[in-house]
Amino acid sequence: MLAVLAFLARPAAADDVVTIALPQALRPGETAFVQVTVGVIVRGQEVEVTTADGRPIGTVSPFGIRSGGEAGTYTMPVPTDAIRDGRLSLRLLITQANGPPRPPTVDEVKGVTLSVVGTRP
């Protein structure tokens, strides 16, 4: 079974935390995955994905993208214990060699999708 929920083009909170609700609680055998759709980013930049409290989920590090081209969609598994009260809160940051990490613009991260994959009973 596959359930997909929530497409967010921009974090809604002032602290740049994206919160996505699951359609239902995870059942035995199900795994949550976060998909990050990345637009145009500069060579050497990465998108760091962590829980709101800083626990690493993954890093999008595009390689071989043509200059000015969109980087694509990247999928990362989410640890079950990162989901609290049926919600997943994430922080996305652009890391760059010439400056401190910063929240992505709407052109750099075009969306965040949460999906649940598992076996049917």
Side-chain angles (χ1 to χ4, degrees):
M1 176 168 78
L2 170 67
V4 178
L5 182 72
F7 182 81
L8 301 172
R10 180 82 180 134
D15 60 359
D16 289 307
V17 172
V18 175
T19 300
I20 306 170
L22 290 169
Q24 80 275 335
L26 287 178
R27 294 177 276 215
E30 292 183 330
T31 304
F33 290 88
V34 65
Q35 296 172 313
V36 181
T37 301
V38 180
V40 178
I41 60 175
V42 176
R43 179 186 291 243
Q45 288 181 326
E46 297 177 327
V47 181
E48 188 177 283
V49 182
T50 65
T51 60
D53 60 3
R55 183 174 168 188
I57 298 292
T59 302
V60 175
S61 183
F63 179 77
I65 306 298
R66 289 183 182 210
S67 181
E70 294 191 356
T73 300
Y74 299 81
T75 303
M76 301 165 211
V78 176
T80 304
D81 61 352
I83 299 167
R84 298 211 166 97
D85 299 322
R87 297 181 185 280
L88 175 64
S89 293
L90 299 171
R91 178 169 283 119
L92 287 79
L93 293 172
I94 295 285
T95 60
Q96 48 199 1
N98 60 350
R102 61 172 176 75
T105 68
V106 294
D107 292 326
E108 292 168 330
V109 172
K110 297 196 166 230
V112 178
T113 306
L114 183 62
S115 60
V116 176
V117 178
T119 57
R120 289 188 171 228

